[in-house]
Amino acid sequence: DQQVKQNSPSLSVQEGRISILNCDYTNSMFDYFLWYKKYPAEGPTFLISISSIKDKNEDGRFTVFLNKSAKHLSLHIVPSQPGDSAVYFCAASANRAGGADGLTFGKGTHLIIQP
Amino acid sequence: EAQVTQNPRYLITVTGKKLTVTCSQNMNHEYMSWYRQDPGLGLRQIYYSMNVEVTDKGDVPEGYKVSRKEKRNFPLILESPSPNQTSLYFCASSYGWQGNTEAFFGQGTRLTVV
């Protein structure tokens, strides 16, 4: 059973517009969420994160929104630029005693920015 | 330059022939881990290590071994590779637990087992 779901395998957005990438989770123990971006032939790179005690975190053109009651988070990119074309992974973690566990990743959404 | 280096980048091998994928980081990170990426499945953790001589299983550890004899190195060992281990592998390191700390990923190793 997939605990982190990215239901859109791909998303096409026009340059300059807003890109909204969605992520849903099922495990209520998750308390930290991260977005990673991946270009072809490269490893993922960290983009932005949010703790469950917040509902919004902003970093430049990137904003992540968290709706705990709906178990839903979204990544907004405004304005979208050609260099944003990549695969975006949503990831979540649960702070267990001992704190030694990894991330649970979604399957990824391929964002394509069209000129 | 801060980086995580994996070798080799590409590897084709035959079933049953032992292989090692190396991973090295130059950031003095304590936490290192291995992930595999498969189509339609995203990234799944294989093994992780919180520090030297401390390793533990992730979500998909079967068929893999790891060791952490030095802080900078975290090799992934496939004692008897099988075709279902054909995948794209990523090593990652971070200052702390990767659940709430930015992880730095290597460029990936594409492994094909025939």
Side-chain angles (χ1 to χ4, degrees):
Chain A
D1 180 34
Q2 198 170 21
Q3 299 186 66
V4 177
K5 300 177 185 178
Q6 294 178 258
N7 292 320
S8 298
S10 67
L11 175 67
S12 184
V13 175
Q14 203 165 11
E15 181 180 357
R17 302 272 188 147
I18 182 171
S19 294
I20 300 176
L21 293 91
N22 293 305
C23 178
D24 297 292
Y25 62 95
T26 57
N27 188 345
S28 58
M29 297 300 291
F30 286 146
D31 57 6
Y32 206 85
F33 305 89
L34 307 91
W35 285 92
Y36 280 83
K37 175 180 177 180
K38 184 183 180 303
Y39 292 119
E42 295 184 12
T45 55
F46 172 77
L47 191 58
I48 194 169
S49 62
I50 187 167
S51 164
S52 61
I53 62 173
K54 296 185 176 181
D55 55 18
K56 177 182 174 181
N57 188 26
E58 191 172 352
D59 183 3
R61 295 186 298 114
F62 303 92
T63 303
V64 56
F65 295 91
L66 175 63
N67 183 335
K68 283 184 64 179
S69 61
K71 293 191 176 68
H72 176 82
L73 64 153
S74 60
L75 174 68
H76 292 212
I77 307 173
V78 182
S80 301
Q81 299 175 353
D84 296 330
S85 294
V87 176
Y88 290 77
F89 290 100
C90 173
S93 64
N95 189 7
R96 306 187 308 181
D101 201 353
L103 297 166
T104 301
F105 282 86
K107 295 180 181 180
T109 296
H110 185 194
L111 176 64
I112 302 161
I113 305 300
Q114 294 185 335
Chain B
E1 180 189 354
Q3 58 185 4
V4 177
T5 305
Q6 293 178 230
N7 279 297
R9 293 288 311 276
Y10 302 91
L11 178 60
I12 300 174
T13 190
V14 296
T15 298
K17 185 177 181 182
K18 180 180 178 180
L19 67 91
T20 299
V21 183
T22 63
C23 174
S24 179
Q25 51 95 2
N26 63 0
M27 294 168 279
N28 202 35
H29 285 165
E30 292 186 343
Y31 197 108
M32 297 184 74
S33 60
W34 277 101
Y35 293 87
R36 59 180 287 176
Q37 182 187 2
D38 300 291
L41 293 175
L43 289 146
R44 295 178 294 167
Q45 191 184 56
I46 303 170
Y47 267 95
Y48 62 92
S49 169
M50 288 185 288
N51 214 325
V52 175
E53 302 292 1
V54 182
T55 63
D56 208 345
K57 297 177 181 178
D59 297 319
V60 288
E62 294 77 22
Y64 304 95
K65 284 175 58 177
V66 293
S67 70
R68 188 92 181 273
K69 293 183 169 52
E70 312 165 89
K71 199 172 189 179
R72 63 182 293 126
N73 296 321
F74 190 45
L76 179 69
I77 303 157
L78 284 73
E79 294 271 4
S80 183
S82 62
N84 64 12
Q85 292 178 296
T86 292
S87 186
L88 179 58
Y89 292 87
F90 290 102
C91 177
S93 77
S94 56
Y95 179 73
W97 172 55
Q98 285 172 6
N100 62 8
T101 307
E102 173 186 358
F104 293 81
F105 284 79
Q107 289 188 294
T109 295
R110 185 165 292 282
L111 172 66
T112 303
V113 184
V114 298

